[in-house]
């Protein structure tokens, strides 16, 4: 598996740091929680960023990428049909004019994430925060999530099986929960086309953002 992961993450930035996950996209390591008086799954995971070499040695069913000042990385998560229109409505320019960046998909149609490097002068700026951008009232466009953990733990899955229990319902313009294994886009997280770290270096988040 280690050789496969090294190939999958070939040329990934050295500042990227990872977290081992269970089969439901959650950090899987146990650590002692003094409040609980016992080891708790996922406790303090945000303070344990692993290099690629380190995470390769950990038991896991998936791998997450830390999104925070320490890893200099922010993700834009396009979540559903026409989420690109939601982006344009909120930012005033079209998503495809963003600089090139590694892009990953869970396999669900119209779902993907782009990973950008955050300029050093922005990394502790409280105005840069995690948020969900929604479409205008009356529009059934998908959301766009800004994934950035400045002060709290946020990670995105970049390798592993997609444990999807959602299926998009076009009649109501959103996804509904279904039994695990019956959602749309069953499969594995994977880089989109040639937009992997092997071929695309994460661009800095543009000033227009």
């Amino acid at each position: 598996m280690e050789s496969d992961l090294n190939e999958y993450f070939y040329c990934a930035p050295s500042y990227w740091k990872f977290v081992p996950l269970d089969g439901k996209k959650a950090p899987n390591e146990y650590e002692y929680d003094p409040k609980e008086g016992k080891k708790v799954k996922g406790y303090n995971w945000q303070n344990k960023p692993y290099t690629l070499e380190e995470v390769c040695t950990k038991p896991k069913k998936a791998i997450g990428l830390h999104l925070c000042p320490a890893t200099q990385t922010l993700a834009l998560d396009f979540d559903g049909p026409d989420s690109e229109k939601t982006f344009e409505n909120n930012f005033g320019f079209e998503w495809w004019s963003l600089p090139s960046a590694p892009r990953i998909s869970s396999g669900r149609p119209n779902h993907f994430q782009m990973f950008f490097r955050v300029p050093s002068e922005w990394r502790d700026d409280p105005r840069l925060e995690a948020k969900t951008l929604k479409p205008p009232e009356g529009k059934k466009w998908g959301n766009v999530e800004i994934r950035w953990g400045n002060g709290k733990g946020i990670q995105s899955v970049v390798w592993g099986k997609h444990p999807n229990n959602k299926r998009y319902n076009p009649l109501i313009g959103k996804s509904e929960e279904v039994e695990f294994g019956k959602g749309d886009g069953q499969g594995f997280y994977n880089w989109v086309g040639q937009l992997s770290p092997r071929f695309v270096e994460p661009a800095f988040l543009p000033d227009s953002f």
Side-chain angles (χ1 to χ4, degrees):
M1 176 184 289
E2 183 174 348
S3 61
D4 291 341
L5 287 174
N6 283 324
E7 176 70 16
Y8 181 80
F9 288 107
Y10 185 74
C11 287
S14 60
Y15 54 82
W16 277 12
K17 296 296 184 288
F18 304 93
V19 53
L21 307 175
D22 62 17
K24 294 185 178 181
K25 304 192 291 187
N28 69 353
E29 291 190 309
Y30 284 81
E31 186 170 317
Y32 183 78
D33 181 349
K35 290 184 178 179
E36 296 288 334
K38 61 180 180 181
K39 287 188 175 182
V40 175
K41 184 179 179 180
Y43 178 73
N44 200 39
W45 71 268
Q46 65 271 25
N47 294 317
K48 295 188 292 182
Y50 292 117
T51 65
L52 177 60
E53 290 73 20
E54 289 169 335
V55 81
C56 281
T57 67
K58 303 292 182 180
K60 59 195 170 293
K61 292 187 177 179
I63 294 174
L65 173 63
H66 285 262
L67 303 170
C68 60
T71 62
Q72 311 175 30
T73 305
L74 172 149
L76 290 180
D77 185 359
F78 291 81
D79 191 17
D82 293 322
S83 53
E84 298 93 340
K85 295 180 180 178
T86 298
F87 178 91
E88 182 179 354
N89 181 71
N90 280 272
F91 287 104
F93 61 93
E94 296 177 313
W95 76 277
W96 49 260
S97 65
L98 287 165
S100 296
R103 191 185 312 175
I104 202 163
S105 174
S106 64
R108 295 189 71 198
N110 306 296
H111 289 71
F112 63 92
Q113 291 191 46
M114 302 175 70
F115 300 102
F116 293 94
R117 191 173 184 181
V118 178
S120 58
E121 62 269 23
W122 293 10
R123 291 172 197 160
D124 294 315
D125 191 330
R127 292 173 296 179
L128 188 62
E129 60 180 359
K131 66 178 69 173
T132 299
L133 307 177
K134 297 184 178 295
E137 186 175 353
K139 297 295 186 181
K140 295 182 179 179
W141 306 340
N143 296 332
V144 176
E145 185 180 356
I146 299 173
R147 299 184 59 77
W148 173 250
N150 194 353
K152 63 179 181 179
I154 292 181
Q155 54 86 15
S156 284
V157 183
V158 288
W159 175 86
K161 186 171 176 19
H162 182 225
N164 184 36
N165 66 331
K166 295 180 180 179
R167 179 177 292 277
Y168 181 73
N169 184 339
L171 296 178
I172 60 175
K174 63 181 182 180
S175 296
E176 298 177 309
E177 288 194 3
V178 295
E179 183 180 343
F180 272 102
K182 294 187 177 180
D184 49 22
Q186 295 298 317
F188 289 83
Y189 288 87
N190 209 342
W191 305 113
V192 177
Q194 298 292 302
L195 297 173
S196 73
R198 176 188 292 267
F199 301 108
V200 179
E201 183 178 355
F204 278 105
L205 205 60
D207 291 339
S208 54
F209 188 85

